[in-house]
DNA sequence: CGTGCTGTTGAGGACGATCAATGACGGTGG
DNA sequence: CCACCGTCATTGATCGTCCTCAACAGCACG
């Protein structure tokens, strides 16, 4: 866990800066008003909550390193993952923007994580003075809404194979956007099941099918995609909803073929 | 279709004004910069698209009267409804905020509708000058994201009865927020099926069950909820995600009881 | 009085959940 | 070094929910 011991220098904010650039904040003059407000906090170890349900806070939280998930716990104790979060992502914009945010929502660390915070007061002042900053965060929310919307469509009617494949595609694309190059997706089948709305058992069987199709690596339990093109085909994945112009070219080729049908 | 012939007077904007108030724009001074930009357009008849897929426009669209749906059409032609829209709702904020909005998204009229438009240029200028306006629209997007998120959770694992009940609860709450008092929900079982991710046949059987439970009216095919309390119980509906403080009291009572379990 | 849309009913079958048990692996403490 | 434990992955068997197909009924419309 290097992140836990790393001093709070500028380098820790790398992913956050990249995220803000993707949101349309180009030059340093636009970035600084927000970056200057970030206080780097200590890390959170895997399994802990970054933001507990039924808690409130006076500051915004930004994920700096690691993978987290936005989730809600149901009456029976089961965990429903709404979305995964990567380095650079905002954890809890909803708590700031809404006046009565859903108190049941929580953010959990799926790997060891480190986070930064921005005090609400500072943030509000910056937003008032910088319309472009305001637009960028609005856009971030819009992007999250897009992700929810797309997952909504895929959760409702698609069979398990497509659901899981689509979920993996989304993660690959977002990892690309966050400049994560590791070939292995460090999630468990349990995590995927909670996000895909499937039982762990069935996710496992789906994985075996994906391995047979040559999409996933055969060895070990690590999740490693070895054939993106096939995965995209299986998932019928169209990345346009992610609003990532820079990444489109990597995927678009396959899409054209798939859409023609 | 009174809306189609009604002259473009201020009264048509009533629902829109109510919506903006709910979003935190209190006094006329904050409302006027946006209201002044709205151009009232002619109506759309049921079944037509308010916004076609793979089209683009230079203005924002606001639903003034009627019920619409944000939807996407799949390869097989089936329609997936992401959310319903009521008078006062923005139809296509995503097209304005994102630089590469998903082109497959469309808005269809589920009843006869009338809409207004706001030119992007005018809107951008207003947003730059009025941070509060910016926040209000951001909040609107956040609210939509909340709705998607909650639907995501309910679509994935809940049985049909709960899904349909929850969907109906959401519609009742949002109709309340839009000051719609008609007891009948003017949607077809087909609409509900496309939104719930169920087959029409199964929605029909679910309706019969809801009628047996005394939740829905027995007579005719109109969808009329006659027992909200029971509906909320069946749906395990918790309205807090809708961020509507004014409406909470109507529902909260039942929730407390349900949560105690 | 047809035509089209919506709602209703029945039968058969597929997909995925659940339950239960076993394996594989890493970490911990003796 | 090994025994133990917890977490995650895997397998088999059974069962229930919901889909699909197909047909028909009711109603509104021209």
């Amino acid at each position: 866990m290097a992140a836990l011991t790393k001093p709070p220098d500028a380098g820790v904010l790398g992913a956050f800066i990249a995220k803000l650039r993707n949101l349309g904040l180009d030059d340093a003059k636009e970035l600084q008003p927000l970056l200057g407000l970030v206080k780097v906090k200590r890390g959170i170890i895997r399994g802990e909550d970054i933001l507990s349900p039924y808690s409130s806070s006076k500051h915004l939280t930004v994920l700096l390193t690691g993978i987290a998930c936005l989730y809600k716990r149901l009456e029976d104790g089961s965990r429903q993952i709404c979305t995964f979060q990567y380095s650079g992502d905002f954890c809890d914009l909803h708590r700031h923007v809404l006046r009565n945010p859903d108190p049941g929502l929580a953010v959990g660390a799926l790997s060891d994580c480190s986070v930064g915070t921005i005090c609400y007061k500072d943030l509000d002042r910056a937003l008032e003075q910088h319309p472009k900053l305001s637009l960028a965060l609005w856009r971030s929310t819009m992007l999250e809404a897009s992700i929810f919307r797309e997952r909504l469509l895929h959760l409702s009617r698609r069979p398990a194979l497509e659901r899981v494949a689509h979920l993996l595609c989304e993660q690959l694309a977002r990892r690309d956007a966050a400049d994560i190059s590791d070939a292995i997706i460090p999630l468990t089948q349990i995590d995927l099941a909670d996000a895909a709305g499937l039982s762990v058992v069935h996710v496992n069987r789906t994985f075996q099918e994906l391995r047979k199709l040559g999409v996933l690596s055969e060895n070990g339990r690590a999740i490693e995609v070895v054939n993106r093109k096939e995965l995209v085909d299986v998932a019928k994945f169209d990345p346009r909803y992610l609003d990532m112009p820079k990444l489109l070219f990597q995927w678009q080729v396959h899409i054209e073929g798939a859409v023609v049908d």
Side-chain angles (χ1 to χ4, degrees), chain A:
Chain A
M1 261 293 294
L4 279 177
T5 57
K6 195 188 282 184
D9 58 14
V12 180
L13 294 178
F16 186 44
I17 293 172
K19 165 91 176 182
L20 294 176
R21 283 191 196 282
N22 281 334
L23 291 174
L25 297 179
D26 293 317
D27 52 47
K29 218 171 68 183
E30 290 169 4
L31 290 170
Q32 203 47 49
L34 189 60
L35 290 180
L37 306 177
V38 179
K39 291 164 196 140
V40 177
K41 297 269 171 166
R42 271 192 50 254
I44 292 101
I45 61 174
R46 193 183 107 111
E48 285 183 351
D49 274 349
I50 295 175
L51 293 155
S52 306
Y54 303 99
S55 69
S56 66
S57 54
K58 294 197 174 69
H59 48 76
L60 189 68
T61 303
V62 178
L63 186 60
L64 296 179
T65 64
I67 302 185
C69 69
L70 182 71
Y71 75 93
K72 207 165 170 176
R73 216 164 269 287
L74 301 187
E75 321 76 40
D76 63 359
S78 72
R79 176 186 64 168
Q80 295 277 0
I81 293 181
C82 304
T83 189
F84 297 105
Q85 299 179 334
Y86 294 93
S87 41
D89 286 340
F90 297 98
C91 293
D92 56 349
L93 276 180
H94 52 278
R95 291 199 180 186
H96 177 248
V97 175
L98 297 181
R99 288 148 303 179
N100 294 78
D102 187 334
L105 277 175
V107 176
L110 297 179
S111 71
D112 294 340
C113 295
S114 63
V115 301
T117 61
I118 300 175
C119 171
Y120 281 162
K121 282 185 188 171
D122 296 343
L123 179 60
D124 286 335
R125 206 175 317 123
L127 288 173
E128 287 229 359
Q129 292 169 7
H130 304 278
K132 281 204 127 185
L133 181 57
S134 205
L135 175 61
L137 297 203
W138 181 9
R139 188 172 279 155
S140 176
T141 296
M142 188 62 87
L143 184 55
E144 201 173 331
S146 283
I147 292 172
F148 290 153
R149 195 195 304 122
E150 193 71 16
R151 276 169 51 53
L152 186 67
L153 297 182
H154 278 268
L155 278 188
S156 51
R157 263 195 241 265
R158 309 288 188 138
L161 185 67
E162 265 181 61
R163 277 200 228 184
V164 172
H166 194 276
L167 202 50
L168 290 176
C169 280
E170 186 206 301
Q171 304 325 307
L172 285 182
R174 294 180 59 192
R175 285 161 55 88
D176 284 351
D179 270 324
I180 301 170
S181 54
D182 190 351
I184 289 167
I185 300 178
L187 298 172
T188 67
Q189 293 184 5
I190 299 173
D191 297 331
L192 270 303
D194 287 348
L198 296 167
S199 68
V200 188
V201 172
H202 205 70
V203 165
N204 183 286
R205 291 183 169 126
T206 306
F207 268 45
Q208 293 173 37
E209 207 168 334
L210 285 173
R211 290 195 196 111
K212 253 184 272 174
L213 290 170
V215 170
L216 290 182
S217 151
E218 292 276 0
N219 32 324
R221 50 184 168 216
I223 303 174
E224 181 185 359
V225 175
V226 293
N227 187 343
R228 280 202 181 200
K229 173 160 171 27
E230 183 65 21
L231 179 65
V232 168
D233 280 353
V234 170
K236 302 202 182 80
F237 183 68
D238 181 340
R240 281 176 288 186
Y241 74 94
L242 285 173
D243 195 47
M244 298 173 177
K246 292 175 192 166
L247 295 175
L248 266 188
F249 73 97
Q250 294 187 36
W251 304 83
Q252 200 64 19
V253 187
H254 315 317
I255 300 308
E256 301 303 346
V259 167
V260 169
D261 191 41

PDB file of all heavy atoms in Angstrom, chain A residues 58-71:
ATOM      1  N   LYS A  58     -19.171  17.636   6.021  1.00  0.00           N
ATOM      2  CA  LYS A  58     -19.112  19.028   5.599  1.00  0.00           C
ATOM      3  C   LYS A  58     -18.148  19.215   4.435  1.00  0.00           C
ATOM      4  O   LYS A  58     -17.741  20.330   4.139  1.00  0.00           O
ATOM      5  CB  LYS A  58     -18.675  19.922   6.770  1.00  0.00           C
ATOM      6  CG  LYS A  58     -19.686  19.966   7.920  1.00  0.00           C
ATOM      7  CD  LYS A  58     -19.382  21.162   8.821  1.00  0.00           C
ATOM      8  CE  LYS A  58     -20.448  21.320   9.897  1.00  0.00           C
ATOM      9  NZ  LYS A  58     -20.388  20.206  10.885  1.00  0.00           N
ATOM     10  N   HIS A  59     -17.770  18.105   3.817  1.00  0.00           N
ATOM     11  CA  HIS A  59     -16.826  18.246   2.719  1.00  0.00           C
ATOM     12  C   HIS A  59     -17.077  17.202   1.639  1.00  0.00           C
ATOM     13  O   HIS A  59     -17.619  16.124   1.899  1.00  0.00           O
ATOM     14  CB  HIS A  59     -15.393  18.137   3.228  1.00  0.00           C
ATOM     15  CG  HIS A  59     -15.190  16.955   4.125  1.00  0.00           C
ATOM     16  ND1 HIS A  59     -15.096  15.674   3.643  1.00  0.00           N
ATOM     17  CD2 HIS A  59     -15.093  16.861   5.466  1.00  0.00           C
ATOM     18  CE1 HIS A  59     -14.927  14.842   4.644  1.00  0.00           C
ATOM     19  NE2 HIS A  59     -14.934  15.525   5.776  1.00  0.00           N
ATOM     20  N   LEU A  60     -16.674  17.567   0.461  1.00  0.00           N
ATOM     21  CA  LEU A  60     -16.754  16.679  -0.689  1.00  0.00           C
ATOM     22  C   LEU A  60     -15.565  15.715  -0.639  1.00  0.00           C
ATOM     23  O   LEU A  60     -14.490  16.086  -0.190  1.00  0.00           O
ATOM     24  CB  LEU A  60     -16.693  17.535  -1.962  1.00  0.00           C
ATOM     25  CG  LEU A  60     -16.964  16.892  -3.304  1.00  0.00           C
ATOM     26  CD1 LEU A  60     -18.420  16.477  -3.374  1.00  0.00           C
ATOM     27  CD2 LEU A  60     -16.651  17.889  -4.406  1.00  0.00           C
ATOM     28  N   THR A  61     -15.768  14.493  -1.119  1.00  0.00           N
ATOM     29  CA  THR A  61     -14.684  13.517  -1.111  1.00  0.00           C
ATOM     30  C   THR A  61     -14.313  13.114  -2.536  1.00  0.00           C
ATOM     31  O   THR A  61     -15.194  12.870  -3.357  1.00  0.00           O
ATOM     32  CB  THR A  61     -15.097  12.262  -0.319  1.00  0.00           C
ATOM     33  OG1 THR A  61     -15.459  12.638   1.005  1.00  0.00           O
ATOM     34  CG2 THR A  61     -13.961  11.260  -0.263  1.00  0.00           C
ATOM     35  N   VAL A  62     -13.016  13.086  -2.797  1.00  0.00           N
ATOM     36  CA  VAL A  62     -12.519  12.690  -4.113  1.00  0.00           C
ATOM     37  C   VAL A  62     -11.646  11.452  -3.940  1.00  0.00           C
ATOM     38  O   VAL A  62     -10.806  11.400  -3.039  1.00  0.00           O
ATOM     39  CB  VAL A  62     -11.675  13.814  -4.744  1.00  0.00           C
ATOM     40  CG1 VAL A  62     -11.132  13.384  -6.089  1.00  0.00           C
ATOM     41  CG2 VAL A  62     -12.490  15.082  -4.871  1.00  0.00           C
ATOM     42  N   LEU A  63     -11.886  10.463  -4.797  1.00  0.00           N
ATOM     43  CA  LEU A  63     -11.061   9.257  -4.735  1.00  0.00           C
ATOM     44  C   LEU A  63      -9.748   9.535  -5.464  1.00  0.00           C
ATOM     45  O   LEU A  63      -9.760   9.914  -6.635  1.00  0.00           O
ATOM     46  CB  LEU A  63     -11.798   8.091  -5.391  1.00  0.00           C
ATOM     47  CG  LEU A  63     -11.153   6.720  -5.286  1.00  0.00           C
ATOM     48  CD1 LEU A  63     -10.996   6.303  -3.835  1.00  0.00           C
ATOM     49  CD2 LEU A  63     -11.983   5.698  -6.050  1.00  0.00           C
ATOM     50  N   LEU A  64      -8.632   9.357  -4.778  1.00  0.00           N
ATOM     51  CA  LEU A  64      -7.344   9.671  -5.396  1.00  0.00           C
ATOM     52  C   LEU A  64      -6.655   8.419  -5.941  1.00  0.00           C
ATOM     53  O   LEU A  64      -6.090   8.434  -7.027  1.00  0.00           O
ATOM     54  CB  LEU A  64      -6.439  10.377  -4.387  1.00  0.00           C
ATOM     55  CG  LEU A  64      -6.967  11.745  -3.919  1.00  0.00           C
ATOM     56  CD1 LEU A  64      -6.031  12.367  -2.891  1.00  0.00           C
ATOM     57  CD2 LEU A  64      -7.190  12.687  -5.089  1.00  0.00           C
ATOM     58  N   THR A  65      -6.694   7.343  -5.186  1.00  0.00           N
ATOM     59  CA  THR A  65      -6.155   6.070  -5.681  1.00  0.00           C
ATOM     60  C   THR A  65      -7.048   4.929  -5.212  1.00  0.00           C
ATOM     61  O   THR A  65      -7.704   5.028  -4.177  1.00  0.00           O
ATOM     62  CB  THR A  65      -4.725   5.805  -5.158  1.00  0.00           C
ATOM     63  OG1 THR A  65      -4.782   5.666  -3.735  1.00  0.00           O
ATOM     64  CG2 THR A  65      -3.766   6.926  -5.522  1.00  0.00           C
ATOM     65  N   GLY A  66      -7.069   3.863  -5.986  1.00  0.00           N
ATOM     66  CA  GLY A  66      -7.846   2.692  -5.605  1.00  0.00           C
ATOM     67  C   GLY A  66      -9.183   2.618  -6.335  1.00  0.00           C
ATOM     68  O   GLY A  66      -9.500   3.442  -7.186  1.00  0.00           O
ATOM     69  N   ILE A  67      -9.950   1.588  -5.994  1.00  0.00           N
ATOM     70  CA  ILE A  67     -11.272   1.401  -6.574  1.00  0.00           C
ATOM     71  C   ILE A  67     -12.300   1.353  -5.462  1.00  0.00           C
ATOM     72  O   ILE A  67     -12.120   0.629  -4.479  1.00  0.00           O
ATOM     73  CB  ILE A  67     -11.352   0.084  -7.374  1.00  0.00           C
ATOM     74  CG1 ILE A  67     -10.293   0.074  -8.477  1.00  0.00           C
ATOM     75  CG2 ILE A  67     -12.735  -0.094  -7.966  1.00  0.00           C
ATOM     76  CD1 ILE A  67     -10.386  -1.127  -9.366  1.00  0.00           C
ATOM     77  N   ALA A  68     -13.371   2.103  -5.648  1.00  0.00           N
ATOM     78  CA  ALA A  68     -14.441   2.127  -4.664  1.00  0.00           C
ATOM     79  C   ALA A  68     -15.755   1.821  -5.353  1.00  0.00           C
ATOM     80  O   ALA A  68     -15.808   1.655  -6.575  1.00  0.00           O
ATOM     81  CB  ALA A  68     -14.488   3.493  -3.978  1.00  0.00           C
ATOM     82  N   CYS A  69     -16.807   1.705  -4.586  1.00  0.00           N
ATOM     83  CA  CYS A  69     -18.122   1.507  -5.173  1.00  0.00           C
ATOM     84  C   CYS A  69     -19.166   2.295  -4.425  1.00  0.00           C
ATOM     85  O   CYS A  69     -19.104   2.426  -3.206  1.00  0.00           O
ATOM     86  CB  CYS A  69     -18.499   0.026  -5.191  1.00  0.00           C
ATOM     87  SG  CYS A  69     -18.822  -0.690  -3.572  1.00  0.00           S
ATOM     88  N   LEU A  70     -20.103   2.840  -5.190  1.00  0.00           N
ATOM     89  CA  LEU A  70     -21.270   3.477  -4.593  1.00  0.00           C
ATOM     90  C   LEU A  70     -22.307   2.386  -4.412  1.00  0.00           C
ATOM     91  O   LEU A  70     -22.648   1.699  -5.386  1.00  0.00           O
ATOM     92  CB  LEU A  70     -21.791   4.567  -5.537  1.00  0.00           C
ATOM     93  CG  LEU A  70     -22.984   5.373  -5.062  1.00  0.00           C
ATOM     94  CD1 LEU A  70     -22.573   6.297  -3.920  1.00  0.00           C
ATOM     95  CD2 LEU A  70     -23.574   6.182  -6.205  1.00  0.00           C
ATOM     96  N   TYR A  71     -22.791   2.183  -3.203  1.00  0.00           N
ATOM     97  CA  TYR A  71     -23.707   1.069  -2.982  1.00  0.00           C
ATOM     98  C   TYR A  71     -24.796   1.401  -1.984  1.00  0.00           C
ATOM     99  O   TYR A  71     -24.753   2.436  -1.314  1.00  0.00           O
ATOM    100  CB  TYR A  71     -22.927  -0.159  -2.496  1.00  0.00           C
ATOM    101  CG  TYR A  71     -22.472  -0.078  -1.061  1.00  0.00           C
ATOM    102  CD1 TYR A  71     -23.245  -0.604  -0.037  1.00  0.00           C
ATOM    103  CD2 TYR A  71     -21.270   0.542  -0.729  1.00  0.00           C
ATOM    104  CE1 TYR A  71     -22.844  -0.526   1.288  1.00  0.00           C
ATOM    105  CE2 TYR A  71     -20.858   0.622   0.587  1.00  0.00           C
ATOM    106  CZ  TYR A  71     -21.634   0.090   1.595  1.00  0.00           C
ATOM    107  OH  TYR A  71     -21.230   0.184   2.902  1.00  0.00           O
TER     108      TYR A  71
END
